[in-house]
């Protein structure tokens, strides 16, 4: 395809990317802001990947923490034991996460475990792994295992500031978004959307539900595993708490609040919710411990109650009005 | 060896009755209203803290605190239903999940603010010591907790089967539209169901406080645990819930005694996953 045409069609995304890429330049000196930006991008990658299995296929996966932890522990252990660079290690970690996903997804989808039961068993996977790594002293154990700086900081991905991690994760975010758009345009995308709408009807129409869902799960687990490698390197240690049930639920919440199946929804929800949470933490954190979370919970509940289809439809309808005002007489298709 | 095994089985059975009581609350909420309540475990946590407060302020015994906490949790459930759950009934279950996860975060951070992060326990209990039965010692507090749990489960069974409100709840669970035509106000019935589900956690919370401590993160364990008991039992069977609670309790106790104290959760999750794979309708399910 013509590059100019692609640029013209998606100029909004490119402006956004440009802003995101330039943002660290003025903020470089502010450590806290950079860490915050990096965390937002990290959650955004996970939530955007979640959109494939959760938003499109309608499977409420709560195992992001499990795949993240698998990626983190593989990457970290490879660096620790055999001095394998995380740049390679994170891909091996992602493959381990995929293996895990197939191991758990194949029987789960085979036994037609759906909805809340799928959600709970994926959450259980996360907790099972946490307990196993807590007891597995050779790799995990209850104390933190610190990662060494082997060869050079670049080789072992041990940067002193958050900025390099921000850029690594930004690249992953772009990849995750592109993967979303690509899938959306393929047969798999249509199959997943059909499954998300009505699983039984989709199966009657001849869609191999298990195969389609498994493909979605594999892509999602791969991206989560990749993020896990960066996650371990950023924190500089390994701990079983990386298999985090809270991260898992949060990622799913961002996907739901953003708007199920809308590609930019999770990104939007992550920026808004993590932004609100951290702003509240900065404002209220000095006072009562946990007060910012109370307010955050209120925001979450209000959004879920009064905008049950997500915040993305709201934004896209505003955008559409804006666009049709610019180009009168021309109806645009929805941004989905 | 067999002695330790039997001892841990007895401990597990007694815990199992409390687990069954918690799961009954969740089961009527999910079974009747089809509402996915992710905050159920945190209701238990809240109940335990309220029992702690009642126990320290009034110098009451933990077992007596449900006299205060049950009405409180009933009211809490009633208000929660009308403020949050009622608005999510016609929505996708993911919206219910988002709302109840919000409620979960709210309850946990509230507990963190009010009672701080360190674990809290009641200092003493009038129920002390052990009872010796056939050479096995049983903690009296646990025995009483188990008996009280059974009584309450029996009371719920009586309420559901013999009273008009109970019949309305069962009717709404079977066929909401027909029940509405027969004059069942489903908002009120659902509110009652949700409030009863919450109130049952208050009973369990008081019983648990007679021999356990609580912390703001403690809800997670009870939440997954009660979903596990419910999955094992299947929907619509109270004796099934008791049996499932006992199985989970025994598995937990045996894992702690013979394998590793840290493997407590592992045993529960393993059962949970295996049951979903092999018996997705539960062992004793009606539906």
């Amino acid at each position: 395809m013509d590059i100019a045409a692609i640029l013209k069609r998606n100029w909004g995304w490119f402006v956004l990317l440009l802003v995101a890429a330039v943002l660290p330049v003025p903020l470089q000196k502010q450590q806290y802001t950079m860490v915050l930006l990096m965390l937002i991008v990290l959650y955004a990658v996970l939530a955007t990947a979640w959109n494939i299995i959760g938003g499109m296929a309608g499977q409420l996966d709560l195992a992001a923490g499990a795949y993240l932890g698998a990626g983190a522990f593989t990457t970290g252990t490879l660096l620790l034991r055999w001095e394998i660079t995380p740049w390679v290690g994170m891909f091996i970690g992602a493959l381990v996460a995929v293996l895990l996903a197939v191991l758990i997804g194949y029987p789960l989808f085979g036994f037609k475990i759906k909805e809340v039961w799928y959600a709970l068993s994926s959450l259980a996977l996360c907790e099972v792994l946490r307990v196993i790594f807590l007891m597995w002293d050779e790799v995990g154990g209850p104390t933190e295992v610190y990662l060494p700086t082997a060869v050079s900081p670049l080789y072992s991905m041990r940067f002193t500031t958050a900025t390099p991690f921000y850029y690594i994760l930004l690249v992953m975010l772009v990849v995750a978004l592109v993967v979303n758009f690509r899938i959306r345009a393929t047969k798999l995308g249509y199959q997943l959307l059909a499954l998300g709408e009505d699983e039984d009807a989709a199966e009657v129409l001849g869609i191999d539900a298990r195969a389609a869902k498994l493909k979605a799960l594999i892509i999602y687990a791969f991206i989560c595993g990749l993020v896990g490698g960066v996650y371990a390197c950023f924190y500089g240690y390994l701990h079983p708490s990386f298999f985090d049930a809270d991260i898992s639920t949060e990622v799913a919440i961002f996907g739901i609040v953003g708007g199920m199946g809308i590609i930019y929804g999770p990104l939007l929800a992550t920026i808004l919710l993590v932004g609100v949470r951290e702003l509240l933490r900065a404002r209220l954190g000095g006072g009562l411990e946990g007060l910012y979370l109370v307010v955050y919970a209120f925001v979450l509940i209000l959004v879920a109650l009064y905008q049950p289809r997500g915040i993305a439809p709201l934004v896209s309808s505003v955008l559409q009005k804006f666009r049709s005002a610019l180009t009168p007489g021309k109806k645009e298709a929805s941004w989905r | 060896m067999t002695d330790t095994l039997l001892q841990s089985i007895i401990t597990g059975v007694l815990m199992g009755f409390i687990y069954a009581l918690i799961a009954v609350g969740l089961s009527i909420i999910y079974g009747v209203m089809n509402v996915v309540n992710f905050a159920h475990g945190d209701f238990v946590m809240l109940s335990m803290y309220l029992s702690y407060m009642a126990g320290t302020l009034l110098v009451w015994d933990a077992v007596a605190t449900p006299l205060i906490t049950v009405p409180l949790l009933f009211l809490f459930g009633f208000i929660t239903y009308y403020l949050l759950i009622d608005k999510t009934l016609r929505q996708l279950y993911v919206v219910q999940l988002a709302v109840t996860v919000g409620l979960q975060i709210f309850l946990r951070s509230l507990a963190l603010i009010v009672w701080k992060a360190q674990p809290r326990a009641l200092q003493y209990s009038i129920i002390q010591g052990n009872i010796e039965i056939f050479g096995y010692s049983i903690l009296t507090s646990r025995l009483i907790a188990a008996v009280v749990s059974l009584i309450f489960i029996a009371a719920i069974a009586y309420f559901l089967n013999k009273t008009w409100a109970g019949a309305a709840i069962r009717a709404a669970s079977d066929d909401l539209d027909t029940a509405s035509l027969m004059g069942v106000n489903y908002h009120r019935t659902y509110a009652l169901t949700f409030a009863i589900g919450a109130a049952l956690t208050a009973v369990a919370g008081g019983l648990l406080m007679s021999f356990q401590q609580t912390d703001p993160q403690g809800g997670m364990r009870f939440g997954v645990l009660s979903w596990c008991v419910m999955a094992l039992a299947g929907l619509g069977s109270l004796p099934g819930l008791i049996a499932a609670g006992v199985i989970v309790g025994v598995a937990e106790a045996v894992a702690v005694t013979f394998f590793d104290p840290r493997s407590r959760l592992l045993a529960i999750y393993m059962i949970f996953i295996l049951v979903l794979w092999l018996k997705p309708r539960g062992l004793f399910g009606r539906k």
Side-chain angles (χ1 to χ4, degrees), chain B residues 129-185:
Chain B
N130 301 320
I131 293 177
E132 296 269 332
I133 299 174
F134 305 123
Y136 300 105
S137 70
I138 299 169
L139 273 173
T140 320
S141 55
R142 295 205 178 203
L143 185 65
I144 289 178
V147 172
V148 175
S149 299
L150 274 182
I151 292 172
F152 269 90
I153 294 174
I156 282 295
Y158 178 84
F159 168 76
L160 286 177
N161 288 319
K162 302 285 178 198
T163 63
W164 196 88
I169 288 176
R170 279 186 298 127
S173 142
D174 279 341
D175 187 339
L176 184 60
D177 294 328
T178 314
S180 302
L181 290 175
M182 297 294 170
V184 172
N185 177 342

Side-chain angles (χ1 to χ4, degrees), chain A residues 108 111 113 115 128 134 289-290, chain B residues 93 109 113 262 269 276-277:
Chain A
L108 276 182
F111 288 118
I113 288 161
E115 299 187 350
V128 163
L134 209 58
E289 189 185 5
Chain B
Y93 74 101
S109 38
I113 291 171
R262 289 170 294 184
Y269 292 122
L276 282 185
W277 287 0

Side-chain angles (χ1 to χ4, degrees), chain B residues 6 12-14 20 29 35 43 62 70 96 110 142-143 180 205 208 211-212 225 227 236 239 252 255 259-260 269:
Chain B
L6 272 171
V13 169
L14 295 180
I29 289 174
V35 163
F43 289 4
V70 165
Q96 293 169 356
L110 193 72
R142 295 205 178 203
L143 185 65
S180 302
L208 284 166
F211 54 88
Q212 270 194 1
L225 194 141
W227 280 99
E252 188 191 65
F259 189 50
D260 191 312
Y269 292 122

Side-chain angles (χ1 to χ4, degrees), chain B residues 19-269:
Chain B
Y19 293 165
L21 181 65
I22 299 171
V24 168
L26 183 70
S27 181
I28 59 171
I29 289 174
Y30 182 69
V32 174
M33 305 155 68
N34 228 345
V35 163
V36 175
N37 182 13
F38 256 53
H40 196 70
D42 298 271
F43 289 4
V44 180
M45 183 267 299
L46 178 69
S47 307
M48 287 173 82
Y49 270 117
L50 289 176
S51 282
Y52 165 78
M53 247 172 99
T56 39
L57 291 179
L58 303 171
V59 203
W60 277 18
D61 196 81
V63 184
T65 53
L67 288 175
I68 294 176
T69 59
V70 165
L72 283 178
L73 259 284
F74 189 88
L75 194 69
F76 169 76
F78 210 75
I79 294 169
T80 307
Y81 174 80
Y82 276 111
L83 280 183
L84 306 179
I85 310 296
D86 192 56
K87 297 188 174 66
T88 68
L89 287 179
R90 305 233 174 263
Q91 302 291 348
L92 276 175
Y93 74 101
V94 289
V95 175
Q96 293 169 356
L97 180 113
V99 169
T100 52
V101 165
L103 184 62
Q104 185 178 44
I105 299 175
F106 172 73
L107 290 177
R108 281 182 194 177
S109 38
L110 193 72
L112 193 65
I113 291 171
V114 179
W115 293 288
K116 308 293 174 234
Q118 73 263 35
R120 303 280 179 167
L122 282 171
Q123 293 212 317
Y124 58 90
S125 172
I126 38 167
I127 309 157
Q128 291 281 345
N130 301 320
I131 293 177
E132 296 269 332
I133 299 174
F134 305 123
Y136 300 105
S137 70
I138 299 169
L139 273 173
T140 320
S141 55
R142 295 205 178 203
L143 185 65
I144 289 178
V147 172
V148 175
S149 299
L150 274 182
I151 292 172
F152 269 90
I153 294 174
I156 282 295
Y158 178 84
F159 168 76
L160 286 177
N161 288 319
K162 302 285 178 198
T163 63
W164 196 88
I169 288 176
R170 279 186 298 127
S173 142
D174 279 341
D175 187 339
L176 184 60
D177 294 328
T178 314
S180 302
L181 290 175
M182 297 294 170
V184 172
N185 177 342
Y186 82 89
H187 290 289
R188 217 185 300 156
T189 310
Y190 278 6
L192 181 68
T193 311
F194 200 81
I196 289 174
L200 285 178
T201 65
V203 180
L207 297 173
L208 284 166
M209 276 315 272
S210 67
F211 54 88
Q212 270 194 1
Q213 57 187 24
T214 181
D215 64 276
Q217 296 296 323
M220 174 86 189
R221 180 183 150 215
F222 294 109
V224 181
L225 194 141
S226 44
W227 280 99
C228 174
V229 171
M230 199 170 90
L232 198 59
L235 285 176
S237 154
L238 284 177
L241 279 172
I242 297 176
V246 167
I247 292 173
V248 169
V250 169
E252 188 191 65
V254 170
V256 168
T257 318
F258 287 97
F259 189 50
D260 191 312
R262 289 170 294 184
S263 69
R264 168 195 289 272
L265 278 170
L266 205 58
I268 297 172
Y269 292 122

